[in-house]
Amino acid sequence: MATSKQYSEYILHVLGDGFSIKSMFGEYCLYYMGKTVAFVCDDRLLIKPTKQSAHLDKICEMQEAYPGSKLYYLVTDDQLSEPRGFIETMHAIAAATPDKKPRKPKPNI
């Protein structure tokens, strides 16, 4: 089941400024300030497992984004009623993520 456009818009509304979302194969990648911090798959918010998100072990279940993927922290809709802690976690993930290196131009052949 693919994520609905309404759910992805709901996630952006809850999280607020600085977050953006990009559609990928019927699902979505969630960015904060241009850096990947989470995914929205099957109408679920899944936060990347990193050192900055390790504290979520105590409050979130781990689930696959799709069959065979690695595990991510599942944030339930009930938990999103108080999003501040999750927003701070995603800010920390983005801050710890290195900037992308510029791509080298392809040689003209």
Side-chain angles (χ1 to χ4, degrees):
M1 168 177 97
T3 298
S4 69
K5 179 100 171 129
Q6 293 82 6
Y7 190 79
S8 64
E9 290 170 354
Y10 162 73
I11 293 294
L12 284 178
H13 173 74
V14 168
L15 298 178
D17 293 335
F19 287 92
S20 60
I21 207 161
K22 184 176 180 182
S23 177
M24 298 179 349
F25 308 108
E27 303 300 353
Y28 295 87
C29 186
L30 182 67
Y31 300 90
Y32 178 71
M33 304 302 285
K35 296 181 181 178
T36 303
V37 294
F39 298 95
V40 181
C41 302
D42 296 330
D43 288 342
R44 301 171 299 151
L45 175 60
L46 300 160
I47 296 179
K48 285 176 57 174
T50 65
K51 278 198 263 185
Q52 295 73 28
S53 62
H55 66 279
L56 296 178
D57 277 335
K58 299 172 187 167
I59 60 172
C60 292
E61 179 182 330
M62 298 288 284
Q63 287 193 359
E64 296 175 329
Y66 54 87
S69 80
K70 68 181 187 175
L71 298 176
Y72 296 89
Y73 294 107
L74 171 66
V75 180
T76 66
D77 289 337
D78 287 342
Q79 290 171 319
L80 278 176
S81 65
E82 293 292 330
R84 187 168 22 123
F86 298 106
I87 292 169
E88 290 170 1
T89 297
M90 289 186 274
H91 288 184
I93 292 170
T97 303
D99 292 332
K100 287 184 178 180
K101 293 180 182 179
R103 290 184 182 188
K104 293 181 182 179
K106 292 182 180 180
N108 293 333
I109 298 179

